[in-house]
């Protein structure tokens, strides 16, 4: 699938989606993260919880994506390889749900790709505090702001949606604008292509 | 016993003190020096005097806040050659400026710009309302606004 087709579909689908207020969205996510920080003791748990939430979202996102593109007469041609999948995710998927465009580069071995986001709708107004430690629950371990992956939700979304189309991946947030970098970078690595099937219980005798 | 406050009128008219006061404590402080003024001339006792003047005006701010619907309360107190102007935010946070009697318009614009910066800061999920402001970003921006409007 060529880049321009993916981008054009993304643009068209974005126009047809119902919209939400960006500030409300960002503030809701912000209060969610602050609650998590208050509730959990270690940073890893917080990052993991965000990823799990993203996973639940992603599982539902892919169905909506396929349904909406069908409904509006935009066929998404079958992807031949991971490169095509990456293009569709970055140009059509992110565009459709968030209204942002991402750049994607493939890894040399073809088994991984990196998504680059220049703007992050979840982190509007957010600035990580400069103090050394985060507020901890009584008796908890010390947590550092620089270990927090604020937008880890995206990693979960990618993992969840790709798993529904039989691609088991692992996603990781490599660079974050909130931590002082230039761009947000998420690395998606393909672990396994799953087999279609309903499982052992349903195997025919 | 009489309380003796030294009067350093020359240095104090060049110095502007801006404080953001919350319910219990000051949340942010910044001193601005007017262009061409002596920046090395302020001594400790001048600074202390300025803070004293500003904080003693707090009662007058509360009194003035009942007289008007506006957020900008203009000059609430006059001491020696200095005046205290105040701006009240919607959440009852007080922006107070100690100055040497500049024109009101530029001070009003200054307060409005700082108010916008303050609102943006309070949208940060990690900033808790009525806590000290530690953001370097906010500090740089406020100083830039001050340079634009107050010198």
């Amino acid at each position: 699938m060529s880049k321009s087709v993916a981008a054009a579909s993304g643009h068209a689908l974005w126009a047809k989606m119902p919209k939400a207020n960006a500030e409300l969205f960002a503030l809701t996510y912000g209060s969610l993260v602050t609650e998590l920080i208050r509730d959990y003791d270690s940073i890893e748990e917080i990052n993991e919880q965000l990823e799990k939430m993203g996973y639940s979202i992603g599982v539902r996102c892919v169905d909506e994506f396929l349904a909406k593109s069908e409904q509006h007469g935009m066929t998404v041609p079958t992807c031949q390889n991971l490169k095509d999948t990456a293009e569709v995710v970055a140009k059509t998927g992110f565009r459709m749900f968030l209204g942002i465009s991402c750049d994607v580069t493939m890894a040399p071995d073809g088994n991984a790709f990196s998504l680059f986001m220049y703007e992050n709708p979840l982190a509007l107004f957010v600035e990580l505090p400069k103090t050394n430690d985060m507020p901890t629950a009584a008796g908890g371990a010390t947590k550092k702001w620089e270990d927090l992956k604020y937008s880890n939700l995206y990693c979960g979304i990618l993992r969840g949606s790709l798993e529904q189309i039989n691609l088991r991946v692992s996603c990781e947030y490599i660079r974050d604008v909130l931590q002082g970098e230039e761009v947000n970078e998420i690395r998606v690595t393909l672990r396994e292509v799953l087999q279609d099937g309903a499982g052992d219980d349903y195997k025919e005798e | 016993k009489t309380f003796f406050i030294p009067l350093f009128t020359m240095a104090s008219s060049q110095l502007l003190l801006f404080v953001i006061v919350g319910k219990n404590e000051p949340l942010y402080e910044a001193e601005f020096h007017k262009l061409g003024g002596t920046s090395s001339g302020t001594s400790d006792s001048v600074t202390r005097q300025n803070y004293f003047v500003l904080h003693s005006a707090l009662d007058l701010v509360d009194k003035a806040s009942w007289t008007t619907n506006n957020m900008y309360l203009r000059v609430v107190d006059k001491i020696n050659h200095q005046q205290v102007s105040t701006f009240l935010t919607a959440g009852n946070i007080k922006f107070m400026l100690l100055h040497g009697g500049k024109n009101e318009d530029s001070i009003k614009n200054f307060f409005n710009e700082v108010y916008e910066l303050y609102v943006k800061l309070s949208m940060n999920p990690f900033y808790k309302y009525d806590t000290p402001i530690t953001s370097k970003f906010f500090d740089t921006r406020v100083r830039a606004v001050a340079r634009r409007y107050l010198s």
Side-chain angles (χ1 to χ4, degrees), chain A residues 103-114:
Chain A
D103 278 341
V104 68
T105 50
M106 296 297 299
D109 63 357
N111 263 349
F113 62 91
S114 273

Side-chain angles (χ1 to χ4, degrees), chain A residues 27 30 34 37 125 127-128, chain B residues 120 123-126 135-137:
Chain A
L27 290 175
T34 37
I37 290 173
F125 311 124
E127 195 190 318
L128 294 180
Chain B
K120 198 153 178 275
M123 301 272 251
N124 181 0
F126 296 120
S135 158
K136 266 242 143 279
F137 186 77

Side-chain angles (χ1 to χ4, degrees), chain A residues 26 29-30 33 50 122-123 126 148-153 176 178, chain B residues 125-126:
Chain A
Y29 186 68
V33 175
L50 286 173
L122 285 176
V126 176
L148 175 69
K149 293 185 181 160
Y150 188 83
S151 314
N152 217 21
L153 202 79
D176 195 350
L178 291 174
Chain B
F126 296 120

Side-chain angles (χ1 to χ4, degrees), chain A residues 88-148:
Chain A
V88 172
V89 165
K91 297 285 191 290
T92 321
F94 269 80
R95 180 90 207 168
M96 175 180 162
F97 286 107
L98 292 172
I100 57 175
S101 273
C102 304
D103 278 341
V104 68
T105 50
M106 296 297 299
D109 63 357
N111 263 349
F113 62 91
S114 273
L115 272 170
F116 296 96
M117 287 189 293
Y118 300 103
E119 38 172 10
N120 187 355
L122 285 176
L124 216 50
F125 311 124
V126 176
E127 195 190 318
L128 294 180
K130 297 291 186 300
T131 53
N132 291 330
D133 291 325
M134 301 166 90
T136 50
T142 51
K143 299 179 283 205
K144 299 250 169 277
W145 287 109
E146 58 232 4
D147 292 332
L148 175 69

